[in-house]
Amino acid sequence: MTSHDGTAATVIKVGEGTHSYSVTVGRGLDSTILTAIPESVLRVLIVHQEPVAGRARALAKALESDGRKAFTVEIPDAEQAKGVETLSELWRILGTQDFTRSDLLIGVGGGAATDLAGFAAATWLRGIDVIHVPTTVAGMVDAAVGGKTGINTAEGKNLVGAFHTPLAVIADLEALDGLPGHDVSAGLAEVAKAGFIADERILEIIEADPRRVLDTRASEFAEIMTRAIRLKADVVSEDLTEKGRREILNYGHTLAHAIERHEQYTWRHGDAVAVGMVFAAELAHRAGYLSSDVLSRHRSVLTSLDLPTYYRKGQFAELREAMARDKKARGATLRFVILEDTEKPVRLEGPSEDLLEECYDAISA
């Protein structure tokens, strides 16, 4: 498969059997979206955020030209979209427009758009198809791949959701060319995470030339994006419902989700994950698992990507309460993904409160 500029697109298979699908990574992939839609589909609901409204309208026009009925609905940006009220509006549209099990949704935008569209698809008529068209870095390497869907509640992030594999994921790198630099940096936190837990080559590429990595048109950027997507595809293919190895993808996320909730979702997810990874590295180091060199490498790699590695002092009590609601927790026991070394993730259960506070002090500024 080739992109419209003649370069080869990469097709990465995820899963086996009825839960299998492909992630296509390349540039200029608009036609790939249309070919991914089965001929039996008569109605398509495109769920999108305001920054990609033009892309959604163009897609709807192409679908109408192809003889289908296409509807668009704009949702709020970022995590503000992932609420019951927005989900209810999607259900209303699906009902009033007579969507059946042979129809589908398309999520266009960041991770919030694909999470929400996926959950609406999972719950409408107990499951209809969805195609994800992520238009952010984190959406491509994380949210859109793996079949996790969900919404937020006042009690925490993604506590209500379902596993619902998409029909296809189209990761068009051209969609990233106009993103603000901070949004690119924030998304690359998830790419760096992939490097720390399983693919050190990603870290080496970042360390060789961070500025090239931050350029969405550079070959280095395309390589680390593709490597991160392939890693996630491999992990979720082995463990669709997070009962085993998939948990390593939560590296840094225990504290990150607590920070996001504490900041009322005004922090970018990747910024929170960057701080969360440094916290996890401090935890691993102080618990005797991780060397000081790898701990230092966390700070140097993330700083080179313009990501934060510290959080405010005096917030531990509130964050500790939020961490208790983490999905990896079992009863009152906190469970963390930590590293023994680069590419060697393990699980740490029930660290002492003193150790947690000590690690928090080490990342406070």
Side-chain angles (χ1 to χ4, degrees):
M1 180 180 294
T2 57
S3 304
H4 69 181
D5 62 358
T7 60
T10 301
V11 179
I12 300 169
K13 184 180 178 183
V14 186
E16 298 290 343
T18 57
H19 292 296
S20 67
Y21 58 97
S22 293
V23 182
T24 304
V25 188
R27 299 181 69 84
L29 300 178
D30 286 349
S31 62
T32 307
I33 304 171
L34 299 177
T35 58
I37 300 174
E39 291 185 4
S40 59
V41 172
L42 300 179
R43 298 171 184 81
V44 178
L45 177 61
I46 303 169
V47 180
H48 69 90
Q49 293 154 318
E50 189 277 332
V52 291
R55 187 180 181 90
R57 286 194 296 269
L59 177 56
K61 184 177 180 180
L63 288 166
E64 294 278 0
S65 299
D66 203 29
R68 310 172 198 269
K69 289 186 176 181
F71 310 87
T72 62
V73 56
E74 185 175 305
I75 61 174
D77 277 344
E79 297 297 322
Q80 303 307 316
K82 292 170 56 177
V84 175
E85 298 81 6
T86 313
L87 176 64
S88 181
E89 174 62 11
L90 299 189
W91 285 336
R92 185 192 67 77
I93 296 170
L94 293 169
T96 56
Q97 299 302 329
D98 300 321
F99 272 65
T100 70
R101 284 180 173 164
S102 63
D103 299 320
L104 65 77
L105 283 81
I106 300 179
V108 182
T114 56
D115 279 359
L116 180 67
F119 190 53
T123 51
W124 186 251
L125 300 178
R126 298 188 177 91
I128 66 174
D129 283 332
V130 64
I131 291 174
H132 294 319
V133 184
T135 60
T136 65
V137 177
M140 290 183 187
V141 302
D142 186 35
V145 182
K148 275 188 178 181
T149 72
I151 59 172
N152 303 329
T153 68
E155 289 69 37
K157 183 175 178 178
N158 295 330
L159 294 181
V160 178
F163 290 99
H164 187 63
T165 52
L167 192 64
V169 177
I170 313 299
D172 189 341
L173 299 180
E174 275 191 5
L176 308 176
D177 290 347
L179 286 182
H182 195 168
D183 288 342
V184 175
S185 293
L188 287 175
E190 292 286 356
V191 179
K193 178 200 74 178
F196 281 114
I197 63 174
D199 185 356
E200 189 173 7
R201 179 60 186 152
I202 290 174
L203 304 180
E204 293 169 351
I205 294 169
I206 294 171
E207 290 165 332
D209 195 339
R211 294 302 102 185
R212 289 280 293 171
V213 165
L214 288 164
D215 179 357
T216 61
R217 296 173 176 84
S219 60
E220 291 89 343
F221 176 83
E223 181 176 356
I224 65 171
M225 289 287 290
T226 303
R227 294 184 80 97
I229 293 170
R230 183 173 285 114
L231 166 66
K232 183 158 190 186
D234 290 345
V235 171
V236 300
S237 294
E238 179 183 318
D239 180 19
L240 175 64
T241 57
E242 202 171 56
K243 294 178 180 177
R245 186 181 177 219
R246 183 170 181 160
E247 198 169 64
I248 69 172
L249 298 173
N250 287 316
Y251 184 56
H253 283 58
T254 301
L255 181 65
H257 285 166
I259 290 173
E260 288 181 279
R261 182 170 181 268
H262 187 57
E263 296 287 341
Q264 298 183 320
Y265 303 109
T266 58
W267 262 48
R268 290 172 174 84
H269 175 67
D271 288 351
V273 168
V275 175
M277 285 192 285
V278 177
F279 177 81
E282 286 281 0
L283 184 58
H285 175 61
R286 292 166 188 268
Y289 289 86
L290 190 66
S291 72
S292 59
D293 287 345
V294 180
L295 170 59
S296 296
R297 193 180 195 187
H298 278 70
R299 285 198 169 91
S300 63
V301 166
L302 297 171
T303 299
S304 76
L305 296 175
D306 300 328
L307 287 162
T309 57
Y310 293 92
Y311 192 63
R312 300 193 308 276
K313 288 181 179 292
Q315 311 299 309
F316 178 74
E318 291 84 353
L319 294 173
R320 176 63 182 84
E321 181 181 352
M323 283 193 287
R325 298 190 178 102
D326 183 74
K327 294 188 295 298
K328 295 184 298 303
R330 298 293 184 269
T333 302
L334 281 183
R335 300 159 79 243
F336 290 86
V337 177
I338 63 168
L339 299 181
E340 290 183 325
D341 198 351
T342 306
E343 299 185 342
K344 292 184 178 179
V346 295
R347 195 162 51 229
L348 177 65
E349 300 193 9
S352 71
E353 296 299 317
D354 288 345
L355 179 58
L356 291 174
E357 191 158 5
E358 181 183 326
C359 293
Y360 184 77
D361 288 343
I363 66 155
S364 296

